[in-house]
Amino acid sequence: MTSEIRVRPPPGPIVAALTPPGSKSLTNRALVLAAMSEGTSTLRGCLDSEDTQVMRAALARCGVVCEASEDATEVRVTGVGGPLPRVDEPEQPIDVATAGTAARFLAALFAASPIACVVDGSARMRERPMEGLLQALRAQGADIRCRGADDMLPCEIHGTQLCGGEIRLARPPSSQFISALLLAAPLAREPMRVVLEQGTPARPYVDMTLACLRDFGADARWLEQDVLQVSPATLRGRDYHVEPDASAATYLLSLAAIYGGEVRVPGLGRTSQQGDARFCDVLGRMGANVLQGPEITLVRGTGSLHGIDLDLSDMPDTTLTAAALALHAVGPTRIRGVDVLRHHESDRIAAAATELRKLGAEVVEHEDGLDITPPAQIVQGAAIDTYRDHRVAMAFSLAGHVTIRDPGCVGKTFPKFFEVLASLGMVE
């Protein structure tokens, strides 16, 4: 892909059925669970992107056979029926690139297996927090030694059977810490009970993990408001359908809200396991017409959006989409509850503030969010820096006449994003 892409508004109202690729969150959860399972699983509708490629490559080095179709949307996984049995070339680091799901989920799976390995990632991944997760895994019996900064990647893991029992966590910086522990819990000696002393961040992602565990045969549930339990189990391979990515769908649905017309996303509706499928409610509150059935979401533009006060703590990955919508709204928008974004592929709160100001918005940055006052007229022709962050690139493509630098970063979750925009007449 070129070093930059010029994006413009569509030539007219959009009327289209658009399907984003498979969910990154569900694909990587399903790959881990299928690897641990007895028998063969066929995963359909998978995402093929950097994050899922590094997950498949890591599992392959540990004796898990992952046979992908030509477009990698179907993956046949031959599970090992328990903990991972080995790792090829254990001194050669397993590279998780910038994939937080791979880093956190694999660290827990390796810690719960009788193997030794080294996990490393990109420069940004080395800056992202691992502390609470690694401490919990050490308390469960794993030997984990960090080779650089304390409780950061790269780390050397000597796994064992986790003991289970109670794990108490203060509010972790990412729900992925919780999900990682839950995914490894079927391999523990005793039921694992996770107590979240200060509440559950991004709870829908934890609910997703519990649902995936149950799909593969585990007893996984909430005991109380912030107390979860997963019992030891032998998981069973199965056919599994991965839903379209709800986070990616927010960009497509927002096109109709901003520019008029009607966008339909089939296969994603109110029965979705993904919390971000509820972003259509945000679009409705901002002024769009929204219809959501069990397995379809439809948004119609009304020609008018207005700013609102948003608590996005349950769907922080939609924050940048909401920020781009705020540019096109009448009146200010307040986004709160998303302090976890300081530790993602970029500091997304700071990045959004910087790029919004380039487009003429007045922005007040808070530790947990943003106050955005849209300009009377959006600045045209601004060059958007993406910070190697796929969500910055996709969200700010909604702004209008902009140049997106490093557009290839969308390969992390939506490799064909700009092809979709080109099909709508939005790429110059």
Side-chain angles (χ1 to χ4, degrees), residues 274-297:
Q274 301 169 76
D276 288 1
R278 299 202 317 272
F279 189 74
C280 64
D281 297 336
V282 173
L283 293 170
R285 288 179 57 201
M286 293 187 78
N289 287 331
V290 174
L291 295 172
Q292 190 170 55
E295 294 184 350
I296 190 170
T297 301

Side-chain angles (χ1 to χ4, degrees), residues 185-354:
L187 303 178
R189 285 195 296 271
E190 302 291 339
M192 184 181 292
R193 187 169 61 258
V194 179
V195 180
L196 297 157
E197 298 175 327
Q198 299 174 30
T200 308
R203 187 185 180 103
Y205 284 97
V206 180
D207 288 333
M208 181 195 303
T209 303
L210 293 175
C212 290
L213 280 158
R214 290 192 293 267
D215 286 340
F216 282 84
D219 178 6
R221 52 201 167 93
W222 292 99
L223 296 180
E224 300 173 27
Q225 174 66 23
D226 292 307
V227 181
L228 308 103
Q229 181 171 289
V230 178
S231 298
T234 299
L235 304 182
R236 306 293 181 188
R238 54 159 295 168
D239 280 5
Y240 185 85
H241 174 68
V242 175
E243 298 174 354
D245 192 291
S247 305
T250 66
Y251 314 115
L252 306 179
L253 294 168
S254 294
L255 290 170
I258 294 169
Y259 297 112
E262 175 183 295
V263 170
R264 303 180 305 284
V265 175
L268 186 72
R270 62 172 176 264
T271 59
S272 171
Q273 294 181 351
Q274 301 169 76
D276 288 1
R278 299 202 317 272
F279 189 74
C280 64
D281 297 336
V282 173
L283 293 170
R285 288 179 57 201
M286 293 187 78
N289 287 331
V290 174
L291 295 172
Q292 190 170 55
E295 294 184 350
I296 190 170
T297 301
L298 182 150
V299 173
R300 294 191 183 103
T302 61
S304 177
L305 296 175
H306 52 265
I308 56 175
D309 191 317
L310 284 170
D311 181 343
L312 294 179
S313 54
D314 278 348
M315 44 180 170
D317 280 348
T318 69
T319 296
L320 296 180
T321 314
L325 285 161
L327 280 170
H328 298 272
V330 176
T333 293
R334 171 77 164 102
I335 299 173
R336 64 180 77 245
V338 294
D339 49 303
V340 296
L341 296 183
R342 298 285 185 186
H343 307 292
H344 281 231
E345 285 83 346
S346 66
D347 179 340
R348 287 180 176 160
I349 295 174
T354 298

Side-chain angles (χ1 to χ4, degrees), residues 43-100:
L43 313 181
R44 307 180 196 277
C46 294
L47 172 67
D48 181 33
S49 73
E50 178 185 285
D51 281 26
T52 58
Q53 290 163 9
V54 298
M55 179 67 84
R56 294 202 314 266
L59 293 172
R61 285 188 55 189
C62 298
V64 179
V65 177
C66 298
E67 300 172 296
S69 62
E70 185 174 349
D71 63 1
T73 59
E74 182 173 305
V75 181
R76 186 175 173 86
V77 181
T78 303
V80 297
L84 299 175
R86 67 177 190 275
V87 58
D88 296 336
E89 302 180 75
E91 278 303 313
Q92 181 67 30
I94 291 173
D95 182 13
V96 297
T98 58

Side-chain angles (χ1 to χ4, degrees), residues 113-252:
S113 301
I115 61 173
C117 64
V118 177
V119 180
D120 200 1
S122 66
R124 177 60 180 171
M125 196 64 235
R126 288 184 174 193
E127 297 172 349
R128 296 177 68 182
M130 297 284 288
E131 179 179 1
L133 175 61
L134 298 186
Q135 289 177 349
L137 293 171
R138 290 184 184 111
Q140 285 283 305
D143 179 5
I144 302 176
R145 309 164 193 173
C146 293
R147 293 185 167 183
D150 289 345
D151 293 312
M152 298 281 194
L153 297 185
C155 65
E156 180 180 339
I157 300 175
H158 296 261
T160 185
Q161 186 175 28
L162 304 182
C163 58
E166 184 172 281
I167 298 174
R168 303 189 74 87
L169 296 176
R171 191 173 179 87
S174 171
S175 64
Q176 291 172 4
F177 288 27
I178 306 164
S179 291
L181 293 169
L182 299 178
L183 289 170
L187 303 178
R189 285 195 296 271
E190 302 291 339
M192 184 181 292
R193 187 169 61 258
V194 179
V195 180
L196 297 157
E197 298 175 327
Q198 299 174 30
T200 308
R203 187 185 180 103
Y205 284 97
V206 180
D207 288 333
M208 181 195 303
T209 303
L210 293 175
C212 290
L213 280 158
R214 290 192 293 267
D215 286 340
F216 282 84
D219 178 6
R221 52 201 167 93
W222 292 99
L223 296 180
E224 300 173 27
Q225 174 66 23
D226 292 307
V227 181
L228 308 103
Q229 181 171 289
V230 178
S231 298
T234 299
L235 304 182
R236 306 293 181 188
R238 54 159 295 168
D239 280 5
Y240 185 85
H241 174 68
V242 175
E243 298 174 354
D245 192 291
S247 305
T250 66
Y251 314 115
L252 306 179

